[in-house]
Amino acid sequence: MMRKKFLMIFVGGLLACCYSALAQRSDGKLVKGRLHTVIYQKNGTTAEGYLQNSFSIGGYPVSYSYHIPSAIDTVMRIKPDNKMMEKSLKYRVHDIDSMSTWLDELPEIKLTWEPKTVDFAFGGKEPAIEPHPSMLLLLYRGKHVKGYVAHHPGYGVKYLFLMGDMPYAKTFLVVGEKLSNRRRKTLLDTFYMYPGMEDYINSLSKDSIKDDPFCILKKLDELLSSDK
């Protein structure tokens, strides 16, 4: 329940905070408002610190930012102690295998991030593929399908899915939206090649994806498992 609440806070954008309110790591105090981060690189080395990546909130002063990765970031920047004058260490997303993050005040809730190439366009539309891997938050891990969430300054906050034979993660929903007729059509266009998905998508109510957006991926996983 606690994990679900945290994820809802994340995708709802409530991790926004003011730079001046950030606590510094001194005298054993917790660092608040920054993600405690461990980066696992493809070469087997690791790095630990506090994530410095951020993006501004539209309509707010520049001092307000979300302190989480953006899909356009090509490097992850961390400070071992999150001190103001401390130099950030930079790690190319292309060289990262995965990343683990948590808030010091909620150490029991750890989140996993993976770098993937992404198509931010919906099914049936011209692809909008980023030219470099984007850091995606892993929220669903099925037998055949993975589900992610990512923020892109131009495309917004999207849910994505990826299977082993896909060259890139693909958008299937917008975070927080209801199942409109337009979105139902893009879902049908996205999953048209999987028998059983058309009937399932057409059976969903408008509010069905609000509490469990990954119900679509769970159904896909179920159908793929039954075919094996």
Side-chain angles (χ1 to χ4, degrees):
M1 184 67 177
M2 228 178 147
R3 177 180 174 83
K4 183 177 180 181
K5 183 179 179 181
F6 178 79
L7 295 178
M8 291 299 290
I9 291 173
F10 174 83
V11 298
L14 297 182
L15 279 179
C17 58
C18 182
Y19 277 111
S20 61
L22 296 178
Q24 296 299 317
R25 192 177 183 86
S26 60
D27 300 326
K29 292 183 180 180
L30 299 178
V31 174
K32 296 181 180 180
R34 291 282 185 182
L35 290 177
H36 197 143
T37 302
V38 177
I39 292 174
Y40 301 92
Q41 297 195 92
K42 293 177 181 178
N43 63 9
T45 62
T46 62
E48 184 169 356
Y50 292 88
L51 194 70
Q52 304 301 304
N53 294 64
S54 62
F55 55 89
S56 299
I57 307 169
Y60 285 85
V62 70
S63 60
Y64 287 82
S65 293
Y66 291 102
H67 303 295
I68 55 177
S70 168
I72 65 172
D73 290 336
T74 58
V75 298
M76 294 292 107
R77 297 179 292 108
I78 63 172
K79 289 183 179 181
D81 296 305
N82 197 50
K83 293 180 179 178
M84 187 172 292
M85 301 304 293
E86 185 180 8
K87 184 178 180 180
S88 293
L89 304 176
K90 298 180 180 180
Y91 299 89
R92 292 200 316 156
V93 173
H94 188 273
D95 297 327
I96 296 174
D97 179 71
S98 65
M99 190 169 80
S100 179
T101 63
W102 64 92
L103 296 174
D104 278 352
E105 55 268 42
L106 292 171
E108 67 277 15
I109 303 177
K110 289 184 169 61
L111 303 177
T112 298
W113 304 73
E114 296 180 346
K116 304 292 181 184
T117 304
V118 177
D119 178 8
F120 282 96
F122 286 106
K125 294 189 175 182
E126 189 72 21
I129 301 173
E130 282 297 302
H132 58 80
S134 298
M135 195 61 73
L136 310 181
L137 176 58
L138 178 64
L139 295 183
Y140 174 76
R141 188 194 299 269
K143 187 175 181 180
H144 306 282
V145 189
K146 286 184 176 181
Y148 301 91
V149 67
H151 171 272
H152 191 289
Y155 302 119
V157 187
K158 301 286 185 67
Y159 287 116
L160 311 112
F161 75 100
L162 180 67
M163 293 187 289
D165 59 345
M166 293 172 59
Y168 41 75
K170 177 71 176 174
T171 297
F172 70 100
L173 287 175
V174 175
V175 170
E177 72 175 347
K178 291 185 178 181
L179 188 57
S180 63
N181 291 335
R182 179 184 179 187
R183 187 60 59 236
R184 196 186 302 273
K185 183 181 185 306
T186 58
L187 284 172
L188 291 170
D189 289 340
T190 299
F191 297 104
Y192 74 92
M193 72 289 288
Y194 303 105
M197 286 300 291
E198 180 178 357
D199 290 342
Y200 177 73
I201 292 169
N202 283 327
S203 72
L204 294 172
S205 67
K206 290 184 178 180
D207 294 321
S208 58
I209 61 172
K210 187 176 180 181
D211 294 328
D212 186 13
F214 293 108
C215 65
I216 295 167
L217 301 189
K218 292 173 184 176
K219 182 62 177 181
L220 178 60
D221 233 347
E222 177 188 317
L223 293 171
L224 292 174
S225 295
S226 66
D227 288 341
K228 299 297 180 180

